[in-house]
Amino acid sequence: MSSFDEWSEESEEDVGGQNLRLVKLVEGKEKSAVAKLVEAVPTHYTSTEHVARVFENLGKPGVAELLRTKLPTDSAKRSGDLGEILATEYIQERTVFETPVKRLRWKDHREMSMRGDDVIGVQLPDDSPIRFLKVEAKSQAALKTATVTAAREALDRDDGLPSSHALTFMSARLIEIGEPEIADAIDMALLRDGITMRQVSQMIFTFSSNAPDAFLKTDLKNYNGLIRQLSVGLRIKTHQDFIASVYDKVKASDES
């Protein structure tokens, strides 16, 4: 877990009836944030079970080589991946939704981006159908209007609902990792009952060095759809150095 409570502070406000949360690194807590992410990042690229088997068979050098084949080296790809990882961890820690599938484990190549919805959160209420959180995660040193606009356009696809491709992928992975109850609920919604806007919330998650407030507020004020919105802006002023530090330390920790 990224343990946001240990290194960040958050403010929340209503914007046109929608929810905006602004998260920022607490001064003096950067090392703590990096340390937590060094623990969390590898779990998004490979399972603990796989790491354990490689360690048993090949020792620590084998684990280091496994992660070397998984971790991107390109700075832009690292930025995008970490944005998605932070969004996934935030949803798990700070919302009612779960993020049981860490989809970066199934990347075709470490330097390639994955297609489809960035993150999908799920909730299984006791007395109502499954609920979904459709997420677009954006990581950019200097956040711009065009970036948030692109995220909004992506959320609007498929009538604002999670894509059938993304849900089918998610269901298959849930079966593989031993979460059949959630997989069955997804399949029932997708293949039998249908999914309505009432079952869906959307999130734009940004990770940047500059303040995201104005960009996210403008987007929420301009939104005139029927789907509930939650926008989250994470600000870490050392954005690019922070990303480099996380990945360099992940690499070093498995080589030592």
Side-chain angles (χ1 to χ4, degrees):
M1 299 290 282
S2 295
S3 303
F4 281 84
D5 288 344
E6 296 185 19
W7 54 267
S8 71
E9 58 186 18
E10 177 176 304
S11 61
E12 185 173 5
E13 62 180 288
D14 180 283
V15 179
Q18 308 292 357
N19 189 217
L20 172 65
R21 302 181 188 179
L22 301 173
V23 185
K24 65 179 181 179
L25 179 71
V26 174
E27 187 174 351
K29 292 288 187 176
E30 184 165 336
K31 287 185 178 179
S32 176
V34 169
K36 288 298 180 182
L37 283 165
V38 167
E39 294 177 8
V41 162
T43 71
H44 284 262
Y45 289 101
T46 189
S47 68
T48 53
E49 292 82 5
H50 193 184
V51 169
R53 289 186 68 85
V54 170
F55 182 81
E56 182 179 351
N57 292 325
L58 301 171
K60 202 156 189 179
V63 174
E65 182 62 16
L66 172 66
L67 287 176
R68 188 194 69 77
T69 67
K70 293 280 192 177
L71 298 175
T73 58
D74 178 79
S75 59
K77 294 298 185 293
R78 286 181 169 186
S79 176
D81 279 9
L82 192 59
E84 186 170 318
I85 289 167
L86 284 161
T88 302
E89 295 282 324
Y90 180 90
I91 293 161
Q92 186 71 33
E93 291 184 31
R94 295 267 180 100
T95 76
V96 298
F97 294 92
E98 296 180 64
T99 50
V101 172
K102 297 176 178 178
R103 72 175 196 145
L104 295 179
R105 294 180 183 180
W106 290 275
K107 288 179 73 169
D108 291 334
H109 189 279
R110 63 180 178 173
E111 307 296 359
M112 292 179 65
S113 300
M114 294 189 75
R115 293 174 295 171
D117 303 328
D118 287 343
V119 185
I120 296 178
V122 294
Q123 182 191 21
L124 297 181
D126 292 333
D127 55 354
S128 59
I130 186 172
R131 294 186 60 226
F132 297 98
L133 178 65
K134 181 179 181 179
V135 184
E136 278 296 311
K138 297 294 184 183
S139 176
Q140 192 170 45
L143 189 64
K144 301 174 183 176
T145 298
T147 307
V148 177
T149 299
R152 174 58 57 197
E153 290 172 352
L155 288 177
D156 285 342
R157 293 183 196 129
D158 299 292
D159 297 321
L161 308 179
S163 71
S164 58
H165 169 80
L167 291 178
T168 301
F169 172 87
M170 187 175 185
S171 176
R173 303 293 81 78
L174 286 164
I175 294 293
E176 292 172 357
I177 65 176
E179 295 283 358
E181 181 184 3
I182 305 175
D184 289 346
I186 291 173
D187 290 340
M188 294 292 185
L190 179 63
L191 304 174
R192 187 191 67 183
D193 302 331
I195 300 170
T196 69
M197 290 183 181
R198 291 172 61 88
Q199 289 171 254
V200 178
S201 297
Q202 294 178 342
M203 173 192 283
I204 293 178
F205 183 98
T206 65
F207 168 39
S208 62
S209 63
N210 59 331
D213 318 26
F215 305 105
L216 296 177
K217 284 182 181 179
T218 297
D219 173 74
L220 289 176
K221 287 176 182 177
N222 290 337
Y223 179 73
N224 56 10
L226 301 176
I227 297 176
R228 287 165 289 192
Q229 301 294 309
L230 166 60
S231 292
V232 179
L234 170 63
R235 185 183 188 188
I236 296 180
K237 293 181 180 179
T238 57
H239 179 272
Q240 290 176 299
D241 289 341
F242 183 87
I243 295 168
S245 181
V246 168
Y247 278 91
D248 288 349
K249 286 186 184 334
V250 169
K251 187 172 181 290
S253 67
D254 285 288
E255 290 178 344
S256 60

Short mmCIF file of all heavy atoms in Angstrom, two decimals, residues 87-122:
data_model
loop_
_atom_site.label_atom_id
_atom_site.label_comp_id
_atom_site.label_asym_id
_atom_site.label_seq_id
_atom_site.Cartn_x
_atom_site.Cartn_y
_atom_site.Cartn_z
N ALA A 87 -3.10 6.21 -8.82
CA ALA A 87 -4.57 6.23 -8.89
C ALA A 87 -5.15 4.95 -8.32
O ALA A 87 -6.11 4.98 -7.54
CB ALA A 87 -5.01 6.42 -10.35
N THR A 88 -4.57 3.82 -8.70
CA THR A 88 -5.04 2.52 -8.22
C THR A 88 -4.94 2.43 -6.70
O THR A 88 -5.88 1.98 -6.02
CB THR A 88 -4.21 1.39 -8.87
OG1 THR A 88 -4.33 1.47 -10.29
CG2 THR A 88 -4.69 0.02 -8.41
N GLU A 89 -3.80 2.85 -6.16
CA GLU A 89 -3.60 2.80 -4.72
C GLU A 89 -4.54 3.78 -3.99
O GLU A 89 -5.08 3.46 -2.93
CB GLU A 89 -2.14 3.13 -4.39
CG GLU A 89 -1.14 2.12 -4.91
CD GLU A 89 -1.06 0.86 -4.07
OE1 GLU A 89 -1.19 0.97 -2.84
OE2 GLU A 89 -0.90 -0.23 -4.63
N TYR A 90 -4.72 4.97 -4.57
CA TYR A 90 -5.60 5.96 -3.95
C TYR A 90 -7.02 5.44 -3.86
O TYR A 90 -7.68 5.55 -2.81
CB TYR A 90 -5.58 7.27 -4.74
CG TYR A 90 -6.47 8.34 -4.14
CD1 TYR A 90 -5.97 9.22 -3.20
CD2 TYR A 90 -7.83 8.42 -4.47
CE1 TYR A 90 -6.80 10.17 -2.61
CE2 TYR A 90 -8.66 9.36 -3.89
CZ TYR A 90 -8.14 10.23 -2.96
OH TYR A 90 -8.96 11.16 -2.37
N ILE A 91 -7.52 4.87 -4.93
CA ILE A 91 -8.88 4.34 -4.95
C ILE A 91 -9.05 3.28 -3.86
O ILE A 91 -10.04 3.27 -3.12
CB ILE A 91 -9.22 3.77 -6.33
CG1 ILE A 91 -9.26 4.89 -7.37
CG2 ILE A 91 -10.55 3.02 -6.30
CD1 ILE A 91 -9.13 4.40 -8.80
N GLN A 92 -8.08 2.39 -3.76
CA GLN A 92 -8.14 1.31 -2.78
C GLN A 92 -8.14 1.86 -1.35
O GLN A 92 -8.85 1.35 -0.48
CB GLN A 92 -6.97 0.35 -2.98
CG GLN A 92 -7.00 -0.89 -2.12
CD GLN A 92 -8.09 -1.89 -2.53
OE1 GLN A 92 -8.42 -2.01 -3.70
NE2 GLN A 92 -8.65 -2.58 -1.56
N GLU A 93 -7.36 2.90 -1.11
CA GLU A 93 -7.19 3.42 0.24
C GLU A 93 -8.24 4.45 0.64
O GLU A 93 -8.61 4.53 1.81
CB GLU A 93 -5.80 4.05 0.39
CG GLU A 93 -4.66 3.06 0.35
CD GLU A 93 -3.30 3.72 0.59
OE1 GLU A 93 -3.25 4.72 1.33
OE2 GLU A 93 -2.31 3.24 0.04
N ARG A 94 -8.71 5.24 -0.32
CA ARG A 94 -9.49 6.42 0.04
C ARG A 94 -10.91 6.47 -0.53
O ARG A 94 -11.57 7.50 -0.43
CB ARG A 94 -8.74 7.68 -0.43
CG ARG A 94 -7.40 7.94 0.25
CD ARG A 94 -7.59 8.86 1.45
NE ARG A 94 -6.34 9.14 2.13
CZ ARG A 94 -5.62 10.27 1.98
NH1 ARG A 94 -5.99 11.17 1.13
NH2 ARG A 94 -4.52 10.44 2.69
N THR A 95 -11.38 5.39 -1.14
CA THR A 95 -12.74 5.37 -1.66
C THR A 95 -13.45 4.08 -1.25
O THR A 95 -12.83 3.18 -0.68
CB THR A 95 -12.78 5.50 -3.20
OG1 THR A 95 -12.42 4.25 -3.80
CG2 THR A 95 -11.86 6.61 -3.70
N VAL A 96 -14.72 3.98 -1.59
CA VAL A 96 -15.49 2.77 -1.29
C VAL A 96 -15.24 1.68 -2.34
O VAL A 96 -15.73 0.55 -2.18
CB VAL A 96 -17.00 3.07 -1.22
CG1 VAL A 96 -17.30 4.06 -0.11
CG2 VAL A 96 -17.53 3.58 -2.57
N PHE A 97 -14.49 2.01 -3.38
CA PHE A 97 -14.25 1.05 -4.45
C PHE A 97 -12.97 0.25 -4.19
O PHE A 97 -12.06 0.71 -3.51
CB PHE A 97 -14.12 1.76 -5.79
CG PHE A 97 -15.39 2.43 -6.25
CD1 PHE A 97 -15.65 3.75 -5.94
CD2 PHE A 97 -16.33 1.72 -6.97
CE1 PHE A 97 -16.82 4.37 -6.34
CE2 PHE A 97 -17.51 2.32 -7.39
CZ PHE A 97 -17.76 3.65 -7.07
N GLU A 98 -12.94 -0.96 -4.75
CA GLU A 98 -11.75 -1.80 -4.71
C GLU A 98 -11.09 -1.80 -6.09
O GLU A 98 -11.75 -1.62 -7.11
CB GLU A 98 -12.12 -3.25 -4.37
CG GLU A 98 -12.70 -3.47 -3.00
CD GLU A 98 -13.01 -4.94 -2.79
OE1 GLU A 98 -12.05 -5.75 -2.78
OE2 GLU A 98 -14.20 -5.28 -2.66
N THR A 99 -9.78 -2.02 -6.10
CA THR A 99 -9.04 -2.15 -7.36
C THR A 99 -8.28 -3.47 -7.32
O THR A 99 -7.05 -3.49 -7.16
CB THR A 99 -8.09 -0.96 -7.56
OG1 THR A 99 -7.31 -0.77 -6.36
CG2 THR A 99 -8.85 0.32 -7.86
N PRO A 100 -8.97 -4.58 -7.49
CA PRO A 100 -8.33 -5.89 -7.32
C PRO A 100 -7.41 -6.30 -8.45
O PRO A 100 -6.56 -7.18 -8.27
CB PRO A 100 -9.52 -6.85 -7.22
CG PRO A 100 -10.60 -6.18 -8.01
CD PRO A 100 -10.42 -4.71 -7.76
N VAL A 101 -7.56 -5.69 -9.62
CA VAL A 101 -6.72 -6.06 -10.77
C VAL A 101 -5.67 -4.97 -11.02
O VAL A 101 -6.01 -3.82 -11.28
CB VAL A 101 -7.57 -6.26 -12.04
CG1 VAL A 101 -6.68 -6.46 -13.27
CG2 VAL A 101 -8.50 -7.46 -11.87
N LYS A 102 -4.41 -5.36 -10.90
CA LYS A 102 -3.30 -4.45 -11.19
C LYS A 102 -2.85 -4.73 -12.62
O LYS A 102 -2.01 -5.59 -12.88
CB LYS A 102 -2.17 -4.66 -10.18
CG LYS A 102 -2.61 -4.34 -8.76
CD LYS A 102 -1.52 -4.64 -7.74
CE LYS A 102 -1.99 -4.27 -6.34
NZ LYS A 102 -0.98 -4.59 -5.30
N ARG A 103 -3.42 -4.00 -13.55
CA ARG A 103 -3.35 -4.42 -14.95
C ARG A 103 -1.97 -4.29 -15.57
O ARG A 103 -1.70 -4.90 -16.61
CB ARG A 103 -4.39 -3.66 -15.79
CG ARG A 103 -4.09 -2.21 -16.03
CD ARG A 103 -5.09 -1.58 -16.97
NE ARG A 103 -4.55 -0.31 -17.47
CZ ARG A 103 -4.74 0.15 -18.68
NH1 ARG A 103 -5.46 -0.53 -19.54
NH2 ARG A 103 -4.22 1.31 -19.05
N LEU A 104 -1.06 -3.52 -14.96
CA LEU A 104 0.29 -3.39 -15.53
C LEU A 104 1.03 -4.73 -15.55
O LEU A 104 2.01 -4.89 -16.28
CB LEU A 104 1.11 -2.36 -14.75
CG LEU A 104 0.60 -0.91 -14.82
CD1 LEU A 104 1.49 0.00 -13.97
CD2 LEU A 104 0.53 -0.40 -16.24
N ARG A 105 0.56 -5.69 -14.77
CA ARG A 105 1.18 -7.02 -14.79
C ARG A 105 1.03 -7.69 -16.15
O ARG A 105 1.79 -8.60 -16.49
CB ARG A 105 0.54 -7.92 -13.73
CG ARG A 105 0.80 -7.48 -12.29
CD ARG A 105 0.10 -8.42 -11.33
NE ARG A 105 0.27 -8.00 -9.94
CZ ARG A 105 -0.24 -8.64 -8.89
NH1 ARG A 105 -0.96 -9.74 -9.09
NH2 ARG A 105 -0.05 -8.20 -7.66
N TRP A 106 0.05 -7.23 -16.92
CA TRP A 106 -0.24 -7.88 -18.21
C TRP A 106 0.17 -7.02 -19.41
O TRP A 106 -0.33 -7.20 -20.51
CB TRP A 106 -1.72 -8.23 -18.27
CG TRP A 106 -2.08 -9.35 -17.34
CD1 TRP A 106 -1.99 -10.69 -17.58
CD2 TRP A 106 -2.56 -9.22 -16.00
NE1 TRP A 106 -2.38 -11.41 -16.48
CE2 TRP A 106 -2.75 -10.53 -15.48
CE3 TRP A 106 -2.87 -8.14 -15.17
CZ2 TRP A 106 -3.22 -10.79 -14.21
CZ3 TRP A 106 -3.34 -8.40 -13.89
CH2 TRP A 106 -3.51 -9.70 -13.42
N LYS A 107 1.10 -6.09 -19.20
CA LYS A 107 1.60 -5.29 -20.33
C LYS A 107 2.30 -6.19 -21.35
O LYS A 107 3.02 -7.13 -20.98
CB LYS A 107 2.59 -4.23 -19.83
CG LYS A 107 1.96 -3.09 -19.06
CD LYS A 107 2.99 -2.10 -18.59
CE LYS A 107 3.54 -1.27 -19.72
NZ LYS A 107 4.35 -0.13 -19.24
N ASP A 108 2.11 -5.89 -22.63
CA ASP A 108 2.78 -6.65 -23.69
C ASP A 108 4.30 -6.44 -23.65
O ASP A 108 5.08 -7.34 -23.97
CB ASP A 108 2.26 -6.25 -25.07
CG ASP A 108 0.82 -6.70 -25.29
OD1 ASP A 108 0.41 -7.67 -24.64
OD2 ASP A 108 0.12 -6.06 -26.08
N HIS A 109 4.71 -5.24 -23.29
CA HIS A 109 6.13 -4.89 -23.24
C HIS A 109 6.30 -3.74 -22.25
O HIS A 109 5.42 -2.89 -22.14
CB HIS A 109 6.62 -4.46 -24.63
CG HIS A 109 8.11 -4.28 -24.72
ND1 HIS A 109 8.74 -3.13 -24.29
CD2 HIS A 109 9.08 -5.10 -25.19
CE1 HIS A 109 10.05 -3.24 -24.50
NE2 HIS A 109 10.28 -4.42 -25.04
N ARG A 110 7.41 -3.74 -21.54
CA ARG A 110 7.58 -2.74 -20.48
C ARG A 110 7.54 -1.31 -20.99
O ARG A 110 7.20 -0.39 -20.25
CB ARG A 110 8.89 -2.99 -19.74
CG ARG A 110 10.14 -2.85 -20.59
CD ARG A 110 11.39 -3.12 -19.77
NE ARG A 110 12.60 -3.05 -20.57
CZ ARG A 110 13.81 -3.12 -20.06
NH1 ARG A 110 13.98 -3.29 -18.75
NH2 ARG A 110 14.88 -3.06 -20.83
N GLU A 111 7.89 -1.08 -22.28
CA GLU A 111 7.92 0.28 -22.82
C GLU A 111 6.64 0.63 -23.58
O GLU A 111 6.55 1.67 -24.21
CB GLU A 111 9.12 0.47 -23.74
CG GLU A 111 10.46 0.10 -23.13
CD GLU A 111 10.88 0.97 -21.95
OE1 GLU A 111 10.14 1.89 -21.58
OE2 GLU A 111 11.96 0.71 -21.38
N MET A 112 5.63 -0.26 -23.52
CA MET A 112 4.38 -0.01 -24.23
C MET A 112 3.28 0.40 -23.26
O MET A 112 3.27 -0.03 -22.10
CB MET A 112 3.93 -1.25 -25.00
CG MET A 112 4.81 -1.63 -26.17
SD MET A 112 4.23 -3.12 -27.03
CE MET A 112 2.65 -2.53 -27.66
N SER A 113 2.37 1.23 -23.74
CA SER A 113 1.21 1.59 -22.95
C SER A 113 0.09 0.58 -23.21
O SER A 113 0.02 -0.01 -24.28
CB SER A 113 0.71 2.99 -23.33
OG SER A 113 1.72 3.96 -23.09
N MET A 114 -0.77 0.40 -22.23
CA MET A 114 -1.90 -0.51 -22.40
C MET A 114 -3.10 0.25 -22.95
O MET A 114 -3.29 1.44 -22.68
CB MET A 114 -2.26 -1.16 -21.07
CG MET A 114 -1.18 -2.08 -20.54
SD MET A 114 -1.72 -3.06 -19.12
CE MET A 114 -2.78 -4.28 -19.91
N ARG A 115 -3.92 -0.45 -23.71
CA ARG A 115 -5.13 0.14 -24.26
C ARG A 115 -6.26 0.04 -23.24
O ARG A 115 -6.20 -0.72 -22.29
CB ARG A 115 -5.53 -0.58 -25.54
CG ARG A 115 -4.56 -0.38 -26.70
CD ARG A 115 -4.95 -1.24 -27.88
NE ARG A 115 -4.84 -2.66 -27.56
CZ ARG A 115 -5.27 -3.64 -28.33
NH1 ARG A 115 -5.89 -3.36 -29.47
NH2 ARG A 115 -5.12 -4.91 -27.98
N GLY A 116 -7.31 0.81 -23.48
CA GLY A 116 -8.50 0.70 -22.65
C GLY A 116 -8.50 1.61 -21.44
O GLY A 116 -7.62 2.46 -21.26
N ASP A 117 -9.51 1.45 -20.60
CA ASP A 117 -9.66 2.27 -19.40
C ASP A 117 -8.45 2.08 -18.49
O ASP A 117 -7.99 0.96 -18.26
CB ASP A 117 -10.93 1.86 -18.65
CG ASP A 117 -12.18 1.99 -19.51
OD1 ASP A 117 -12.21 2.88 -20.38
OD2 ASP A 117 -13.11 1.19 -19.32
N ASP A 118 -7.92 3.18 -17.95
CA ASP A 118 -6.71 3.11 -17.14
C ASP A 118 -6.91 2.25 -15.89
O ASP A 118 -6.10 1.38 -15.58
CB ASP A 118 -6.26 4.52 -16.72
CG ASP A 118 -5.67 5.29 -17.89
OD1 ASP A 118 -5.31 4.67 -18.90
OD2 ASP A 118 -5.56 6.53 -17.78
N VAL A 119 -7.97 2.55 -15.16
CA VAL A 119 -8.27 1.81 -13.93
C VAL A 119 -9.79 1.64 -13.85
O VAL A 119 -10.53 2.55 -14.24
CB VAL A 119 -7.78 2.55 -12.66
CG1 VAL A 119 -8.00 1.70 -11.42
CG2 VAL A 119 -6.32 2.97 -12.79
N ILE A 120 -10.23 0.50 -13.35
CA ILE A 120 -11.65 0.31 -13.05
C ILE A 120 -11.77 -0.15 -11.60
O ILE A 120 -11.18 -1.16 -11.21
CB ILE A 120 -12.31 -0.72 -13.97
CG1 ILE A 120 -12.30 -0.23 -15.42
CG2 ILE A 120 -13.76 -0.99 -13.53
CD1 ILE A 120 -12.89 -1.21 -16.41
N GLY A 121 -12.50 0.63 -10.81
CA GLY A 121 -12.80 0.24 -9.45
C GLY A 121 -14.15 -0.45 -9.40
O GLY A 121 -15.02 -0.18 -10.23
N VAL A 122 -14.34 -1.33 -8.45
CA VAL A 122 -15.61 -2.05 -8.30
C VAL A 122 -16.07 -2.00 -6.85
O VAL A 122 -15.27 -1.94 -5.92
CB VAL A 122 -15.50 -3.52 -8.77
CG1 VAL A 122 -15.26 -3.59 -10.26
CG2 VAL A 122 -14.42 -4.27 -8.00
#
